[in-house]
């Protein structure tokens, strides 16, 4: 880094300066190397994985597979004890006050460095990111984490980024190496242990939205993920505002981070727009930024607090590069309280040790001098202890004890050791501890803890209750679009209905229609016809007009009808059909038609019915023995019928290709008899046609006649002169279809126009 | 392996039924028919149990004093009314049919009817959500088939009709067949997994 | 006769191969499978649901358990099992809906054993029959999505057009929808309305892609083998037919 | 249709149907409590009806009648499903649920077998045979379709079927140090397959849409008729 930009006045200073030569603001926060160091740990661990993941992301197809594999074993890992553990730990921790704090402070820095810089121009990116983090959260998804990278534009962004990242990282790890001090060693080890615990803790995003919403234009883009965040974020902020600096921190980080990262990584070409946006942000939150930034300079632990949490390496190392070489030791010392932050529950012991050795440290250099002085008055105000303590409620009392033990060595007054100083006392220390100093941590801590506890309970409570559908949805563009489409289509349908127009010519009959007509004409008088009603009540709108002409024709020919179905409501649909569309025929139940109910058991059931109809459906729907029993003759429609092939015609009226296929496959074989072959004809909904038609192909010939949808219903009506319902609906139907097609075409084109290069939530993807 | 008994039962029944399909022994076939008969009865009972669960769920919702409790109450009332009427008279009795014709059919076909709007809306958004050749071919086909299905008032376009039926009878049949064959393979594999006890959805 | 004989042989081959592949899965050279975007989404959705504390909704359709549609429901159940285990630490267990009695019971059993493994209590409310007919089931699932803070919907089962209602609800509730079905018109509707669609056979691969164990991977391999065999048979047969031999 | 010649029940039915239809349509413009109320009523009615049809259609004839029938053998046979069915009801309680595992296992086993058989005999074989028969030019000639036409169309369908099948192929070549990738021929074929799948979906979707639109037409004309019926007296007077 050649030079440093002043975070106050934004002017550029030579990087060896500690204060801005223009405004005198301190350029070099008294940073403790620990966090970056500890970052370094992760840089070699988690972060490395991440950058690797980015390269994968940019690798297109490649990482898909690797990710696949990673996922495969990852998933099994996930089942393994250890991982189940951390998850349950993660859960367990949520009972303590930490998580909200940890999460909250963690995240603001984390997004900006990846997103604040790149993704500012196009929202898709951060949306893309979120799942990824959630993904990392469960480590079986870690492999797949960055699949998001598929959107091309964000891809090459990432390539740049990961390029920059890796080299920064390298640079940084050297530095980290220099200051490998013994206590750091310990920390490093802990760091390594802590890895697994950290990953889950970093990912939670309650705070993502407050920067996210800055960037986001339309919140509906957030899709499902947006919801939880939006709902959690505000109250987390407000709650956390217990200490005003909490709020400040979480807001001001994105600013100074991007501040520094902007210039410090010149190799990556920053779009102008981004720069502007950032500067705007600055201006916007200036009055916040300045004080916080200062206070951050004044009290050492805070920056670590921020940086300590960062999950990705860049900011840390950019910071690292900025820092003038200062004796790491003292900084390390002061940073003592900091590392626990990232350390989850391990906080305890390290915290204590450091707590003891920390204060007595004699200030060595001017730098720390000032730091020490400033820190004294600072602490009381900036509540560092508060967050520190809130991180580890257990040892609230510890810090007070330690200093007194160290600074006021006891002199033994009696006994053989009289006169000796620094002798361990027989009684518990606690008894002698003088009342803690005025800036009693305890008090603040308990308050802060309380606030966080409340926050947590509130958040948990909130998760319990279902979330209302976001109001904006009511006036969202989608809503308008949907309503517009609805109105257009409905008007198109209503118009012909109102005017009663009958201009549209009914379709001319197709071969299938003609075949059915011939078959019915060829039926003997009082033919016995098996009629299968296999459609949902919903489809009455289509199936009744489609089938009414045919069934009408059958009834005109005086055929006996036996009604069956393979769906539970089929029999009722059948009854309705006869009583509404064919009312004029006034067919009488059991004498002219018999409703045998439905054939349960899917294909197997139908097969059984085909094998022996009387055994499977012995009774009518009303419970009368249909096939005769004990001398009593079978009902007329079924007289002389023992096999399926005894029917003169089998007609299946269905909306489902499944049902149609089942009839063809299971029943059709039983229709062929040495004596004669009973024809099977189908009346299908338009949606089933493509799947049924193959059976009507000359090469198949399993179905002897086929009518599909309103269209063929109309054609048949035209043949038999009973146009009825179809004629009534035909114009509206036709106009509706055309208008719908127009709406789809136009709307689609417009959307493409608007949507080019914009990821609408669920992403552009190529299935190739 | 948990619940060895149920696993054994599942596998045994499955294998017997399967053999009953493929082995030409009269005994096996009739055994298969009996077993499937029982399965059908059990499925019917399961439906009743499921409706018991429906009642339970909505009972709990309705006692919970919340906004949707009203809905759950309405559901329970209509459910018991229907059970009463259809149960007392037969399913095809005019009273039962009145319920069917004036409550169920209107609601159900209206639900299908609003799809005419919602599906058009979905297609309009599809191209923005997923802009790839797959979607383009898809939407193009939809449009062609739609306008090829029916005439626009007075104007009929036979070419469109022919194009539609060509699409429906040639490429669509090819694709559908491929999909169906693939699905068949998937079904067989899934069934086999259950019959070797690898998948045990029955609380095993 | 010959048909049933061939059928028996095919089934036998399926059994043997799947057993072999799942038993010797370790020794066999690793097989990788093509990426299916929907499953990547699903993994993230699961992670996110655990994270954000909203529910996963898995819907099993209204397929008849005694028919062919049972298989796709079974596929859905094995995915439900994986998802339930993955989210067992979440504050909100997944909710499963079905349109068929037996499926509702099976979904309860699956959730029950998943929660037994992770030592959580199972609530009957989490496995529901939302309706006894396809459309009423869809209507019930729709209100589940609207009312229960669902973050992601996984629809694996037998659906027809009615599934569009469920997807519309998911869209309006800003929740992700991943869906697959064995019903081909249903797939067409899903493709247009769901965020991610599993096409045809992909639906049955869910277990394998979610790491439900060697048997699932094995069955994918076997499917691939049989697919190639099928292609060969069709081509050969068609040619023979053309030559008038068959 | 004239309001005067409507029975009270019909009139009530018409009015009910009219309002229920409107309430369902209201969902287009946004989810609302009345719509919810409507679908809950619908769920209740549908469930009630399904339950009753099941009882009348399956349980009575197949379970109850044999149990009280004179045939001893049937009675014995009917006892098994009765027992299993009763066990099934334990699923309604969280504690006793275990008892129900047996009948569920039975159901799953039978279902799996039925699915396998159905897929093999119902789809795999017939569809394969149909694909093979596509080039049955003999039958084509007999049925009047020209052999050439049959050859081309059949070839197209065949091509679509095969490429679609290939599209679903899961395996990918995995070599050390190299990204896994599908074999080139698979990639090419699945591109074609993709096209056929897209067309198939398009046609089917259009079919579904046509069905939905037909329902819309029917509903709207119902509404119109209703309004006309209601207004008729005022118009005539």
């Amino acid at each position: 880094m050649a030079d440093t930009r002043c975070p106050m006045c934004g002017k550029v200073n030579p990087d060896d300066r500690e204060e801005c030569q223009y405004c005198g603001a301190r350029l070099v926060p008294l940073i403790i190397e620990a966090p970056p160091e500890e970052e370094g740990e992760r840089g070699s661990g988690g972060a490395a994985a991440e950058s690797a993941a980015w390269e994968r992301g940019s690798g297109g197809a490649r990482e898909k597979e690797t990710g696949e594999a990673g996922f495969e074993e990852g998933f099994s890992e996930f089942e393994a004890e250890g991982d189940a553990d951390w998850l349950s730990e993660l859960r367990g921790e949520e009972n303590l006050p930490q998580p909200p704090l940890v999460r909250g402070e963690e995240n603001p820095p984390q997004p900006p460095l990846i997103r604040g810089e790149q993704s500012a121009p196009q929202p898709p990116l951060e949306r893309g990111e979120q799942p990824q983090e959630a993904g990392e959260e469960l480590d079986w998804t870690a492999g797949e984490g960055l699949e998001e990278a598929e959107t091309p534009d964000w891809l090459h962004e990432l390539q740049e980024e990961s390029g920059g990242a890796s080299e920064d990282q390298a640079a940084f790890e050297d530095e980290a190496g220099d200051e490998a001090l013994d206590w750091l060693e310990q920390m490093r080890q802990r760091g390594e242990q802590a890895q697994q615990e950290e990953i889950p803790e970093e990912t939670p995003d309650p705070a993502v939205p407050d920067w996210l919403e800055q960037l986001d234009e339309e919140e509906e883009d957030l899709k499902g993920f947006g919801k939880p965040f939006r709902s959690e974020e505000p109250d987390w902020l407000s709650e956390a505002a217990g200490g005003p600096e909490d709020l400040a921190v979480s807001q001001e980080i994105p600013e100074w981070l991007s501040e520094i990262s902007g210039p410090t990584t010149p190799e990556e070409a920053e779009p102008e727009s981004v720069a502007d946006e950032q500067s705007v942000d600055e201006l916007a939150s200036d009055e916040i930024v300045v004080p916080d930034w200062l206070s951050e300079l004044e009290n050492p632990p805070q920056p670590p607090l921020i940086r300590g949490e960062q999950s990705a390496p860049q900011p840390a190392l950019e910071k690292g590069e900025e820092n003038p070489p200062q004796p790491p030791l003292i900084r390390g010392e002061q940073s003592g309280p900091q590392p626990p932050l990232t350390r989850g529950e391990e906080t305890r012991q390290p915290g204590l040790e450091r707590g003891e050795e920390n204060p007595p440290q004699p200030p060595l250099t001017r730098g720390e001098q000032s730091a020490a002085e400033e820190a004294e008055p600072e602490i009381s105000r900036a509540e560092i202890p508060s967050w520190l303590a809130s991180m580890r409620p257990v040892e609230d009392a510890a810090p007070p004890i330690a200093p007194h033990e160290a600074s006021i060595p006891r002199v033994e007054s009696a006994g053989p050791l009289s006169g000796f100083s620094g002798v361990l006392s027989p009684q518990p220390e606690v008894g002698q501890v003088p009342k803690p100093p005025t800036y009693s941590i305890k008090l603040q801590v308990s308050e802060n803890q309380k606030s966080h506890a409340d926050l947590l309970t509130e958040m948990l409570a909130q998760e319990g209750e279902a979330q209302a559908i976001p109001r904006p949805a009511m006036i969202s563009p989608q809503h308008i679009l949907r309503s517009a489409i609805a109105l257009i289509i409905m008007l198109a349908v209503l118009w012909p209905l109102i005017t009663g127009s009958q201009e549209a010519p009914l379709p001319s009959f197709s071969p299938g229609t003609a075949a059915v007509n011939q078959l019915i004409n060829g039926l003997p008088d009082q033919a016995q016809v098996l009629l299968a009603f296999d459609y949902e009540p919903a489809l009455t709108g289509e199936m009744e007009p489609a089938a009414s002409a045919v069934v009408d024709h059958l009834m005109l020919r005086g055929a006996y009808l036996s009604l069956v179905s393979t769906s539970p409501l089929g029999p009722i649909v059948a009854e309705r059909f006869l009583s509404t569309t064919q009312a004029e025929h006034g067919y009488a139940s059991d004498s002219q038609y018999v409703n045998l109910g439905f054939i349960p058991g899917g294909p197997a059931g139908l097969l059984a019915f085909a094998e022996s109809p009387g055994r499977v459906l012995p009774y009518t729907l009303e419970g009368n023995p249909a096939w005769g029993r004990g001398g009593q003759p079978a009902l007329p429609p079924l007289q002389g019928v023992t096999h399926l092939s005894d029917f003169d015609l089998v007609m299946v009226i269905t909306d489902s290709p499944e049902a149609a296929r089942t009839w063809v496959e299971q029943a059709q074989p039983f229709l062929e008899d040495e004596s004669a072959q009973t024809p099977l004809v189908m009346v299908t909904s338009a949606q089933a046609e493509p799947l049924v038609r193959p059976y009507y192909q000359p090469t198949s010939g399993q179905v002897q006649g086929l009518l599909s949808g309103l269209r063929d219903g109309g054609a048949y009506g035209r043949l038999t002169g009973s146009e009825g319902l179809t004629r009534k609906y035909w114009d509206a139907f036709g106009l509706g279809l055309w208008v719908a097609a127009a709406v789809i075409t136009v709307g689609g084109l417009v959307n493409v126009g608007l949507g080019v290069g914009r990821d609408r939530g669920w992403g552009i993807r190529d299935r190739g | 392996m948990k619940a060895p008994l149920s696993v054994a039962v599942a596998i045994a029944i499955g294998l017997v039924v399967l053999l009953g399909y493929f082995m030409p022994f009269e005994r096996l076939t009739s055994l298969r028919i009996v077993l499937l008969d029982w399965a059908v009865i059990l499925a019917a009972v399961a439906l009743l149990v499921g409706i018991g669960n429906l009642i339970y769920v909505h009972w709990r919702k309705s006692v919970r004093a919340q906004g949707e409790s009203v809905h759950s109450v309405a559901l329970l009332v209509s459910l018991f009314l229907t059970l009463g009427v259809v149960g007392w008279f037969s399913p095809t009795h005019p009273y039962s049919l009145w319920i069917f014709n004036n409550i169920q059919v209107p609601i159900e076909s209206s639900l299908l009817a609003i799809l005419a709007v919602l599906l058009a809306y979905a297609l309009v958004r599809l191209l923005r959500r997923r802009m790839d050749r797959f979607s383009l071919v898809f939407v193009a086909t939809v449009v062609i088939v739609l306008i090829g299905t029916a005439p626009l008032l007075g104007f009929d376009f036979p070419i469109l009709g022919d194009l539609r039926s060509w699409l429906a009878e040639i490429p669509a049949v090819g694709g559908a067949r491929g999909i169906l064959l693939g699905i068949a393979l998937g079904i067989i594999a899934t069934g086999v997994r259950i019959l070797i006890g690898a998948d045990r959805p029955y609380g095993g | 006769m010959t048909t049933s004989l061939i059928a028996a042989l095919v089934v036998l081959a399926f059994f043997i191969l799947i057993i072999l592949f799942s038993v010797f899965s370790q020794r066999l050279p690793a097989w990788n499978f093509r990426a299916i975007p929907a499953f990547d989404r699903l993994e993230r959705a699961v992670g996110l649901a655990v994270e954000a504390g909203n529910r996963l909704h898995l819907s099993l359709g209204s397929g008849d358990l005694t028919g062919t549609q049972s298989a796709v429901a079974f596929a859905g159940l094995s995915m439900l099992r994986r998802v339930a285990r993955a989210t067992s630490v979440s504050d909100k267990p997944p909710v499963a809906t079905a349109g068929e009695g037996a499926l509702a019971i099976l979904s309860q059993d699956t959730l029950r054993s998943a929660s037994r493994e992770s030592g959580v209590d199972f609530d009957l409310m989490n496995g529901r029959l939302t309706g006894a007919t396809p459309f009423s089931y869809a209507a019930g699932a729709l209100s589940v999505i609207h009312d229960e803070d669902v973050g992601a919907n996984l629809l694996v089962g037998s659906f027809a057009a009615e599934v569009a209602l469920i997807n519309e609800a998911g869209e309006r509730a800003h929740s992700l929808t991943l869906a697959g079905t064995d019903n081909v018109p249903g797939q067409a509707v899903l493709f247009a309305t769901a965020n991610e669609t599993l096409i045809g056979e992909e639906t049955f691969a869910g277990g394998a892609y979610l790491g439900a164990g060697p048997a699932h991977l094995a069955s994918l391999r076997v499917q691939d083998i049989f697919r190639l065999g099928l292609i060969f048979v069709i081509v050969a047969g068609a040619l023979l037919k053309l030559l008038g031999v068959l | 249709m004239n309001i005067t010649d409507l029975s009270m029940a019909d009139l009530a039915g018409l009015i009910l149907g009219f309002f229920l239809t409107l309430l369902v349509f209201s969902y287009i413009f946004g989810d609302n409590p009345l719509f919810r109320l409507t679908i809950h009523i619908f769920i209740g009615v549908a469930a009630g009806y399904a339950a009753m049809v099941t009882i009348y259609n399956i349980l009575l004839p197949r379970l109850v009648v044999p149990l009280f029938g004179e045939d001893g053998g049937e009675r014995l046979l009917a006892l098994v499903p009765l027992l299993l069915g009763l066990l099934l009801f334990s699923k309604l309680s969280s504690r006793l649920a275990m008892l129900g595992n047996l009948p569920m296992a039975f159901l799953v086993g039978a279902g799996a077998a039925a699915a396998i058989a159905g897929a093999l005999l119902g789809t795999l074989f017939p569809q394969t045979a149909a694909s093979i028969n596509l080039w049955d030019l003999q039958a084509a000639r007999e049925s009047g379709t020209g052999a050439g036409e049959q050859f081309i169309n059949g070839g197209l369908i065949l091509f679509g079927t095969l490429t679609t099948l290939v599209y679903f192929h899961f395996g990918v070549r995995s070599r050390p140090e190299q990204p896994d990738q599908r074999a080139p021929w698979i990639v090419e074929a699945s591109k074609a397959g993709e096209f056929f799948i897209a067309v198939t979906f398009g046609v089917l979707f259009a079919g579904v849409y046509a069905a939905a639109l037909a329902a819309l037409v029917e509903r709207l004309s119902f509404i119109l008729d209703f309004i006309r019926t209601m207004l008729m007296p005022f118009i005539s007077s």
Side-chain angles (χ1 to χ4, degrees), chain A residues 71 75 147 224-225 463 466, chain C residues 48 82 91-92 174 209-210:
Chain A
F71 163 54
F75 211 142
E147 284 304 304
F225 302 153
E463 287 181 348
Chain C
L48 200 95
R82 301 299 304 164
D91 309 348
K92 292 192 181 173
H174 300 290
Y209 277 78
L210 298 186

Side-chain angles (χ1 to χ4, degrees), chain A residues 84-152:
Chain A
D85 286 350
W86 68 253
L87 269 178
S88 47
E89 269 170 25
L90 168 62
R91 208 237 200 120
E93 277 165 22
E94 280 168 8
N95 308 335
L96 308 175
Q98 295 96 305
L101 179 56
V102 175
R103 295 172 176 200
E105 280 157 348
E106 254 161 30
N107 288 291
Q110 175 183 6
L113 39 105
I114 310 161
R115 308 173 186 137
E117 294 168 15
Q118 271 90 20
S119 74
Q122 77 281 63
L125 183 48
E126 77 269 64
R127 266 203 310 289
E129 288 284 345
Q130 281 162 12
Q132 157 197 347
E133 293 165 48
E136 287 167 4
E137 206 267 347
L138 289 169
D139 71 340
W140 54 268
T141 49
E144 292 297 80
L146 301 211
E147 284 304 304
E148 227 47 38
E150 273 152 272
T151 52

